[in-house]
Short mmCIF file of all heavy atoms in Angstrom, two decimals:
data_model
loop_
_atom_site.label_atom_id
_atom_site.label_comp_id
_atom_site.label_asym_id
_atom_site.label_seq_id
_atom_site.Cartn_x
_atom_site.Cartn_y
_atom_site.Cartn_z
N TYR A 1 -9.83 1.30 7.54
CA TYR A 1 -8.44 1.78 8.05
C TYR A 1 -7.67 2.57 7.00
O TYR A 1 -6.59 3.08 7.30
CB TYR A 1 -7.66 0.53 8.55
CG TYR A 1 -7.33 -0.56 7.54
CD1 TYR A 1 -6.24 -0.34 6.69
CD2 TYR A 1 -8.14 -1.57 7.40
CE1 TYR A 1 -5.90 -1.33 5.73
CE2 TYR A 1 -7.97 -2.57 6.33
CZ TYR A 1 -6.74 -2.51 5.58
OH TYR A 1 -6.56 -3.32 4.49
N TYR A 2 -8.25 2.53 5.81
CA TYR A 2 -7.63 3.38 4.73
C TYR A 2 -8.68 3.47 3.59
O TYR A 2 -9.54 2.60 3.44
CB TYR A 2 -6.35 2.53 4.09
CG TYR A 2 -5.62 3.28 3.07
CD1 TYR A 2 -4.87 4.37 3.39
CD2 TYR A 2 -5.79 2.91 1.72
CE1 TYR A 2 -4.22 5.11 2.36
CE2 TYR A 2 -5.11 3.68 0.70
CZ TYR A 2 -4.35 4.82 1.07
OH TYR A 2 -3.66 5.47 0.08
N VAL A 3 -8.63 4.72 2.88
CA VAL A 3 -9.52 4.97 1.90
C VAL A 3 -8.52 5.14 0.50
O VAL A 3 -7.74 6.16 0.52
CB VAL A 3 -10.36 6.07 2.08
CG1 VAL A 3 -11.13 6.47 0.87
CG2 VAL A 3 -11.15 5.95 3.27
N ALA A 4 -8.79 4.36 -0.46
CA ALA A 4 -8.13 4.50 -1.82
C ALA A 4 -9.07 5.00 -2.73
O ALA A 4 -10.25 5.48 -2.44
CB ALA A 4 -7.63 3.14 -2.14
N GLY A 5 -8.63 5.15 -4.03
CA GLY A 5 -9.48 5.56 -5.20
C GLY A 5 -9.11 4.89 -6.40
O GLY A 5 -7.85 4.70 -6.64
N GLN A 6 -10.01 4.38 -7.20
CA GLN A 6 -9.75 3.65 -8.38
C GLN A 6 -9.04 4.54 -9.51
O GLN A 6 -9.51 5.56 -9.65
CB GLN A 6 -10.94 3.04 -8.93
CG GLN A 6 -10.71 1.96 -10.06
CD GLN A 6 -11.78 1.16 -10.55
OE1 GLN A 6 -12.86 0.97 -9.69
NE2 GLN A 6 -11.84 0.67 -11.72
N ASP A 7 -7.99 4.03 -10.06
CA ASP A 7 -7.31 4.79 -11.11
C ASP A 7 -6.96 3.74 -12.17
O ASP A 7 -7.35 2.69 -12.24
CB ASP A 7 -5.96 5.37 -10.39
CG ASP A 7 -5.63 6.61 -11.15
OD1 ASP A 7 -5.75 6.75 -12.34
OD2 ASP A 7 -4.92 7.58 -10.44
N ILE A 8 -6.01 4.28 -13.00
CA ILE A 8 -5.70 3.50 -14.27
C ILE A 8 -4.22 3.39 -14.48
O ILE A 8 -3.49 4.38 -14.20
CB ILE A 8 -6.27 4.15 -15.57
CG1 ILE A 8 -7.91 4.27 -15.39
CG2 ILE A 8 -6.00 3.33 -16.80
CD1 ILE A 8 -8.38 5.36 -16.31
N MET A 9 -3.63 2.25 -14.86
CA MET A 9 -2.27 2.13 -15.14
C MET A 9 -2.13 1.67 -16.56
O MET A 9 -2.86 0.91 -17.15
CB MET A 9 -1.61 1.04 -14.28
CG MET A 9 -0.07 0.85 -14.52
SD MET A 9 0.69 -0.35 -13.31
CE MET A 9 0.16 -1.84 -14.14
N VAL A 10 -1.23 2.48 -17.25
CA VAL A 10 -0.97 2.23 -18.73
C VAL A 10 0.58 1.96 -19.01
O VAL A 10 1.31 2.17 -18.14
CB VAL A 10 -1.49 3.40 -19.57
CG1 VAL A 10 -2.97 3.57 -19.44
CG2 VAL A 10 -0.75 4.58 -19.12
N ARG A 11 0.90 1.52 -20.14
CA ARG A 11 2.31 1.50 -20.58
C ARG A 11 2.82 2.84 -20.54
O ARG A 11 2.11 3.87 -20.89
CB ARG A 11 2.38 0.90 -21.88
CG ARG A 11 2.10 -0.69 -21.76
CD ARG A 11 2.60 -1.41 -23.19
NE ARG A 11 1.74 -0.96 -24.28
CZ ARG A 11 0.50 -1.45 -24.52
NH1 ARG A 11 0.00 -2.37 -23.76
NH2 ARG A 11 -0.20 -1.01 -25.58
N LYS A 12 4.13 3.03 -20.23
CA LYS A 12 4.78 4.32 -20.01
C LYS A 12 4.57 5.19 -21.22
O LYS A 12 4.53 6.49 -21.08
CB LYS A 12 6.17 4.09 -19.58
CG LYS A 12 6.82 5.26 -19.04
CD LYS A 12 8.11 5.09 -18.39
CE LYS A 12 8.71 6.24 -17.61
NZ LYS A 12 10.02 5.97 -16.98
N ASP A 13 4.69 4.75 -22.42
CA ASP A 13 4.75 5.51 -23.62
C ASP A 13 3.26 5.74 -24.19
O ASP A 13 3.14 6.35 -25.21
CB ASP A 13 5.55 4.78 -24.74
CG ASP A 13 5.02 3.44 -25.08
OD1 ASP A 13 4.12 2.94 -24.47
OD2 ASP A 13 5.61 2.84 -26.09
N ASP A 14 2.22 5.33 -23.53
CA ASP A 14 0.88 5.50 -23.94
C ASP A 14 0.27 6.85 -23.36
O ASP A 14 0.14 6.93 -22.06
CB ASP A 14 -0.03 4.25 -23.45
CG ASP A 14 -1.39 4.31 -24.12
OD1 ASP A 14 -1.83 5.37 -24.56
OD2 ASP A 14 -2.12 3.34 -23.83
N THR A 15 -0.09 7.75 -24.15
CA THR A 15 -0.64 8.95 -23.80
C THR A 15 -2.10 9.18 -24.23
O THR A 15 -2.62 10.24 -24.07
CB THR A 15 0.17 10.21 -24.36
OG1 THR A 15 0.21 10.07 -25.81
CG2 THR A 15 1.61 10.12 -23.86
N SER A 16 -2.70 8.11 -24.64
CA SER A 16 -4.02 8.14 -25.16
C SER A 16 -4.99 8.08 -24.06
O SER A 16 -6.24 8.47 -24.28
CB SER A 16 -4.25 7.03 -26.22
OG SER A 16 -4.25 5.84 -25.60
N ILE A 17 -4.75 7.65 -22.84
CA ILE A 17 -5.61 7.44 -21.86
C ILE A 17 -5.33 8.45 -20.58
O ILE A 17 -4.32 8.37 -20.05
CB ILE A 17 -5.66 6.00 -21.30
CG1 ILE A 17 -5.99 5.01 -22.39
CG2 ILE A 17 -6.47 5.86 -20.12
CD1 ILE A 17 -5.73 3.57 -22.00
N LYS A 18 -6.35 9.31 -20.55
CA LYS A 18 -6.13 10.47 -19.48
C LYS A 18 -7.19 10.39 -18.46
O LYS A 18 -7.08 10.98 -17.35
CB LYS A 18 -6.12 11.76 -20.15
CG LYS A 18 -5.01 11.97 -21.27
CD LYS A 18 -5.10 13.37 -21.84
CE LYS A 18 -3.94 13.68 -22.81
NZ LYS A 18 -3.99 12.74 -23.97
N SER A 19 -8.28 9.62 -18.70
CA SER A 19 -9.35 9.60 -17.69
C SER A 19 -10.09 8.24 -17.99
O SER A 19 -9.87 7.55 -18.96
CB SER A 19 -10.32 10.74 -17.78
OG SER A 19 -11.10 10.67 -19.05
N VAL A 20 -11.03 7.96 -17.22
CA VAL A 20 -11.71 6.65 -17.27
C VAL A 20 -12.61 6.64 -18.60
O VAL A 20 -12.75 5.51 -19.18
CB VAL A 20 -12.77 6.45 -15.96
CG1 VAL A 20 -13.76 7.55 -15.78
CG2 VAL A 20 -13.36 5.09 -16.02
N THR A 21 -13.09 7.75 -19.01
CA THR A 21 -13.92 7.72 -20.27
C THR A 21 -13.12 7.30 -21.48
O THR A 21 -13.59 6.81 -22.40
CB THR A 21 -14.63 9.05 -20.49
OG1 THR A 21 -13.56 10.12 -20.51
CG2 THR A 21 -15.65 9.36 -19.39
N ASP A 22 -11.80 7.54 -21.43
CA ASP A 22 -10.86 7.10 -22.39
C ASP A 22 -10.66 5.60 -22.51
O ASP A 22 -10.04 5.25 -23.62
CB ASP A 22 -9.45 7.74 -22.26
CG ASP A 22 -9.41 9.30 -22.50
OD1 ASP A 22 -10.32 9.83 -23.25
OD2 ASP A 22 -8.73 9.92 -21.81
N LEU A 23 -11.28 4.88 -21.66
CA LEU A 23 -11.17 3.45 -21.68
C LEU A 23 -12.23 2.89 -22.67
O LEU A 23 -12.13 1.64 -23.00
CB LEU A 23 -11.44 2.86 -20.37
CG LEU A 23 -10.27 3.17 -19.31
CD1 LEU A 23 -10.65 2.59 -17.99
CD2 LEU A 23 -8.99 2.69 -19.73
N ASN A 24 -13.10 3.66 -23.06
CA ASN A 24 -14.11 3.24 -24.17
C ASN A 24 -13.38 2.81 -25.40
O ASN A 24 -12.55 3.36 -25.91
CB ASN A 24 -15.10 4.26 -24.58
CG ASN A 24 -16.09 4.51 -23.52
OD1 ASN A 24 -16.82 3.54 -23.13
ND2 ASN A 24 -16.35 5.76 -23.02
N GLY A 25 -13.70 1.46 -25.82
CA GLY A 25 -13.00 0.92 -27.10
C GLY A 25 -11.66 0.30 -26.66
O GLY A 25 -11.06 -0.26 -27.64
N LYS A 26 -11.19 0.45 -25.42
CA LYS A 26 -9.89 -0.24 -25.12
C LYS A 26 -10.03 -1.54 -24.34
O LYS A 26 -11.03 -1.69 -23.68
CB LYS A 26 -9.11 0.79 -24.20
CG LYS A 26 -8.92 2.11 -24.86
CD LYS A 26 -7.83 2.15 -25.94
CE LYS A 26 -7.85 3.52 -26.66
NZ LYS A 26 -7.43 4.59 -25.71
N LYS A 27 -9.05 -2.39 -24.43
CA LYS A 27 -9.03 -3.55 -23.65
C LYS A 27 -8.47 -3.24 -22.28
O LYS A 27 -7.38 -2.81 -22.09
CB LYS A 27 -8.23 -4.70 -24.30
CG LYS A 27 -8.83 -5.32 -25.63
CD LYS A 27 -7.99 -6.36 -26.24
CE LYS A 27 -8.63 -6.92 -27.39
NZ LYS A 27 -7.90 -8.13 -27.98
N VAL A 28 -9.25 -3.61 -21.19
CA VAL A 28 -8.92 -3.11 -19.84
C VAL A 28 -8.89 -4.46 -18.88
O VAL A 28 -9.84 -5.14 -18.97
CB VAL A 28 -9.90 -2.22 -19.32
CG1 VAL A 28 -9.49 -1.64 -17.89
CG2 VAL A 28 -10.06 -1.00 -20.17
N CYS A 29 -7.96 -4.49 -18.20
CA CYS A 29 -7.85 -5.76 -17.27
C CYS A 29 -8.02 -5.27 -15.72
O CYS A 29 -7.56 -4.29 -15.37
CB CYS A 29 -6.36 -6.37 -17.43
SG CYS A 29 -6.27 -7.97 -16.54
N SER A 30 -8.63 -6.18 -15.10
CA SER A 30 -8.69 -6.11 -13.55
C SER A 30 -8.90 -7.51 -13.12
O SER A 30 -8.99 -8.48 -13.91
CB SER A 30 -9.84 -5.23 -13.11
OG SER A 30 -9.63 -4.89 -11.76
#
C-alpha cells in the first residue's frame, strides 16, 4: 500500500555523510 526507500539520518551539523558508502567506519544504528 506504500513504497518507501531506505535513507540515512544524521545530526544536523554533520556534513560528512552524503551517501550510504560514507557509512563505512561509522557507528550506525537501526
Side-chain angles (χ1 to χ4, degrees):
Y1 60 88
Y2 183 72
V3 178
Q6 187 172 339
D7 209 329
I8 304 159
M9 184 174 77
V10 296
R11 289 188 294 275
K12 193 168 185 178
D13 60 353
D14 185 348
T15 59
S16 67
I17 298 172
K18 299 179 176 64
S19 70
V20 63
T21 56
D22 293 329
L23 297 178
N24 282 308
K26 304 286 177 58
K27 291 184 177 180
V28 183
C29 187
S30 194

